[in-house]
């Protein structure tokens, strides 16, 4: 394990601020996806939406993320992280505000699709920037806290949605437009963020890279202090032939298994809890409680990601959360206390897989394709998430709550199997080391982790 000024720097105020401002994307993602569940409860009877239309509205932002993730990743690798770090959120502000004026299902679907594109674009942009500035000791926790903000956004959405319901039959308009307010605050906070010195150096812009490094780390730090990164001369077309195809497959599959049940639950939490006999205000309270438990689970995972290691954390997270969902499916008529306990257990235990959605992708690919790889994996995972979200109301009607939860549990347990077979250990490695196809074994890890295939 080699030492260098960037990977072994102390945690500074800059790192903390960058982590907070970068996490605005997942905050908005959680807010946008959750507020629609509350809004649909009011909107559905007004517009007489059928199950298919509800599913399309709920899944529309996920479909947008599918396109936005890959687009944002490609753009940030080509044009840099800094400018796009604010431009994508401006689009969220505009499209969120326009939702207030929609008058039919078609326009609502389109606007939420566009919001999803902007949200999806922000993920590879923000996580690449955060990963490339973060010291190795703090990279896992900082990226883990990044995803925790998704659940903060979801919790805030449920509270805001409940309050805006008091405005009457048009409360849903204010709910959907309200996402513009936090987006404005995040854009203002992000102004002035420096460009990634790793990206600048990779483009041969050495003077700019030095200026960026010295802004953050002091006047004595230059690109010579950056670790040598092997240049693969990769592009998106060659990604699957470059030796990183196996890593793309692994990240996509585990990410899909993690988000399909979670996004489906979040988009239709009140409906799912209602099917489990928690109706009305109990359903809203239950949704808020479960959201808090998700946050707790992510925070616990952040505390464990360096101590426990990436690989065992993810395996255990998938395994035990999957068992909780299976029990919900097998005993859907259990007492309310048992139902809430199992949902809370799932929410806490799935935290490990949630934080690894942003730790693994940013650690397993080199700087020149990091954004594209993260964006592509994010986009591919959203195919399953969007399909699952669309099918939830149909499944609840056609299959019942028990079978729906069993399917969610099986998908989660498949994630455990994939992780057992394929997950690497990257704890303690620099970005250069973890992104190399023949990464060195990290220190303080006793068991030898299987290496990813070169595909």
């Amino acid at each position: 394990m080699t030492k260098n000024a960037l990977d072994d720097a102390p945690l500074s105020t800059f790192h903390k601020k960058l982590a907070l401002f970068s996490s605005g994307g997942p905050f908005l993602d959680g807010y946008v996806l959750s507020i629609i569940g509350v809004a649909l409860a009011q909107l559905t009877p007004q517009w007489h939406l059928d199950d298919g239309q509800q599913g399309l509205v709920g899944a529309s932002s996920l479909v947008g993320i599918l396109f936005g993730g890959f687009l944002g990743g490609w753009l940030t690798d080509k044009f840099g992280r800094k400018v796009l770090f604010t431009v994508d959120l401006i689009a969220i502000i505009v499209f969120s505000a326009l939702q207030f004026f929609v008058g039919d299902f078609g326009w609502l679907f389109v606007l939420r699709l566009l919001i999803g594109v902007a949200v999806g674009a922000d993920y590879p942009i923000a996580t690449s920037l955060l990963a490339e500035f973060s010291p190795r000791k703090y990279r896992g926790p900082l990226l883990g806290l990044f995803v925790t903000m998704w659940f903060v956004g979801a919790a805030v959405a449920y509270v805001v949605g409940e309050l805006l319901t008091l405005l009457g039959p048009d409360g849903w308009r204010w709910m959907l437009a309200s996402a513009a307010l936090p987006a404005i605050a995040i854009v203002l906070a992000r102004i002035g963020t420096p460009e990634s010195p790793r990206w600048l150096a990779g483009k041969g812009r050495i003077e700019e890279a030095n200026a960026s490094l010295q802004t953050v780390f002091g006047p004595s730090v230059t690109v010579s202090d950056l670790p040598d990164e092997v240049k693969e001369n990769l592009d998106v077309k060659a990604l699957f032939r470059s030796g990183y195809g196996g890593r793309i497959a692994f990240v996509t599959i585990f990410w899909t298994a993690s988000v399909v049940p979670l996004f489906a639950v979040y988009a239709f939490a009140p409906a799912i809890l209602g099917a489990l006999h928690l109706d009305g205000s109990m359903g809203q309270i239950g949704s808020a409680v479960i959201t808090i438990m998700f946050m707790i689970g992510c925070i616990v995972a952040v505390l464990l990601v360096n101590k426990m290691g990436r690989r065992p954390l993810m395996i255990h997270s998938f395994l035990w959360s999957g068992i909780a969902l299976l029990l919900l499916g097998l005993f859907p008529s259990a007492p309310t206390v048992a139902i809430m306990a199992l949902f809370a257990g799932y929410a806490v235990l799935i935290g490990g897989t949630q934080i690894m959605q942003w730790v693994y992708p940013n650690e397993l690919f080199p700087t020149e394709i990091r954004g594209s790889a993260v964006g592509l994996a994010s986009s591919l995972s959203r195919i399953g998430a969007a399909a699952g979200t669309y099918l939830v109301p149909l499944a609840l009607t056609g299959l019942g709550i028990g079978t729906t939860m069993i399917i969610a549990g099986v998908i989660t347990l498949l994630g455990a199997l994939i992780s057992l077979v394929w997950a690497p250990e990257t704890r303690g490695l620099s970005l250069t080391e973890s992104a190399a196809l023949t990464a060195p074994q990290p220190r303080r890890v006793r068991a030898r982790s299987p290496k990813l295939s070169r595909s």
Side-chain angles (χ1 to χ4, degrees):
M1 189 189 310
T2 58
K3 290 194 173 186
N4 58 77
L6 186 61
D7 282 314
D8 297 289
L11 189 67
S12 67
T13 301
F14 168 80
H15 292 121
K16 295 174 184 177
K17 287 182 177 180
L18 180 60
L20 179 62
F21 301 158
S22 297
S23 65
F27 176 92
L28 290 171
D29 189 5
Y31 190 97
V32 166
L33 186 63
S34 301
I35 200 75
I36 191 62
V38 184
L40 279 174
Q42 192 177 52
L43 178 60
T44 296
Q46 292 183 29
W47 284 9
H48 307 291
L49 299 179
D50 58 32
D51 290 341
Q53 289 174 317
Q54 291 180 61
L56 283 172
V57 171
S60 55
S61 59
L62 293 173
V63 176
I65 290 173
L66 187 158
F67 295 104
F70 178 72
L71 178 63
W74 178 78
L75 288 172
T76 196
D77 281 341
K78 189 172 182 65
F79 299 108
R81 287 61 163 131
K82 180 179 178 179
V83 175
L84 295 166
F85 197 47
T86 55
V87 170
D88 59 331
L89 292 191
I90 294 173
I92 296 176
I93 295 169
V94 174
F95 297 137
S96 294
L98 288 175
Q99 287 181 110
F100 184 87
F101 304 100
V102 294
D104 57 58
F105 161 78
W107 274 111
L108 180 58
F109 176 84
V110 169
L111 286 173
R112 293 193 62 76
L113 181 75
L114 293 173
I115 290 171
V117 170
V119 169
D122 191 68
Y123 276 125
I125 297 165
T127 58
S128 294
L129 191 63
L130 180 59
E132 288 163 13
F133 269 116
S134 297
R136 78 177 95 200
K137 181 179 178 181
Y138 303 102
R139 187 174 61 242
L142 288 178
L143 288 168
L145 286 172
F146 179 91
V147 77
T148 303
M149 292 299 290
W150 194 98
F151 300 103
V152 175
V156 171
Y158 284 123
V159 174
V160 171
E162 190 69 17
L163 292 174
L164 293 179
T165 301
L166 302 176
L167 296 178
D170 284 335
W172 64 268
R173 295 183 182 275
W174 294 99
M175 294 178 204
L176 299 183
S178 63
L181 292 178
I184 291 171
I186 296 164
V187 166
L188 294 175
R190 287 183 174 186
I191 294 174
T193 301
E195 181 59 271
S196 165
R198 294 179 189 264
W199 181 84
L200 288 168
K203 296 297 182 181
R205 295 159 61 176
I206 304 303
E207 291 186 7
E208 293 173 78
N210 285 334
S212 179
L213 282 168
Q214 290 162 10
T215 298
V216 177
F217 299 103
S220 62
V221 181
T222 67
V223 292
S224 62
D225 295 301
L226 290 174
D228 292 331
E229 189 159 356
V230 177
K231 293 288 290 181
E232 303 282 353
N233 294 318
L234 299 175
D235 57 30
V236 176
K237 293 180 181 178
L239 185 58
F240 288 99
R241 302 190 304 273
S242 65
Y244 287 93
R247 296 188 174 191
I248 283 286
F250 162 67
V251 170
T252 299
I253 294 171
F254 99 73
W255 202 334
T256 300
S258 176
V259 300
V260 166
L262 185 139
F263 281 7
V265 166
Y266 257 95
F268 295 98
I272 289 174
L273 290 174
L276 290 167
H277 315 295
L278 296 175
D279 301 295
S281 60
M282 273 300 294
Q284 297 291 355
I285 293 172
S287 298
V289 169
I290 292 168
T291 299
I292 293 171
M293 301 309 291
F294 273 118
M295 287 167 40
I296 292 173
C298 286
I299 292 171
V300 171
V302 165
L303 297 175
L304 293 176
V305 69
N306 279 346
K307 295 179 180 179
M308 191 173 182
R310 275 66 159 156
R311 173 182 163 82
L313 175 63
M314 196 161 75
I315 292 172
H316 283 287
S317 179
F318 268 128
L319 176 63
W320 300 112
S321 60
I323 290 174
L325 288 178
L326 280 182
L327 291 174
L328 277 169
L330 293 171
F331 304 102
S333 299
T336 299
V337 173
I339 294 293
M340 287 302 300
L342 286 171
F343 251 121
Y346 165 72
V348 171
L349 294 165
I350 199 65
T353 75
Q354 297 305 302
I355 72 164
M356 290 309 300
Q357 291 168 22
W358 299 111
V359 176
Y360 263 147
N362 282 284
E363 290 184 336
L364 294 178
F365 300 95
T367 298
E368 59 188 316
I369 58 164
R370 181 169 293 116
S372 297
V374 172
L376 179 60
S378 173
S379 293
L380 292 175
S381 72
R382 262 47 177 192
I383 296 174
T389 302
Y390 170 73
L391 291 171
V392 165
L394 301 176
L396 290 174
T397 301
L399 300 176
I401 185 63
T403 303
T404 302
M405 290 293 98
I406 288 174
I407 293 172
V410 169
I411 292 172
T412 306
L413 290 176
L414 284 175
L417 179 61
I418 290 297
S419 301
L420 185 65
V421 173
W422 218 348
E425 182 57 75
T426 55
R427 176 178 62 173
L429 300 179
S430 70
L431 276 183
T432 302
E433 293 168 337
S434 63
L437 288 172
T438 54
Q441 185 69 20
R443 294 181 182 179
R444 301 186 302 279
V445 178
R446 295 181 180 178
R448 185 177 180 83
S449 301
K451 294 181 180 178
L452 295 171
S453 69
R454 298 178 67 94
S455 91

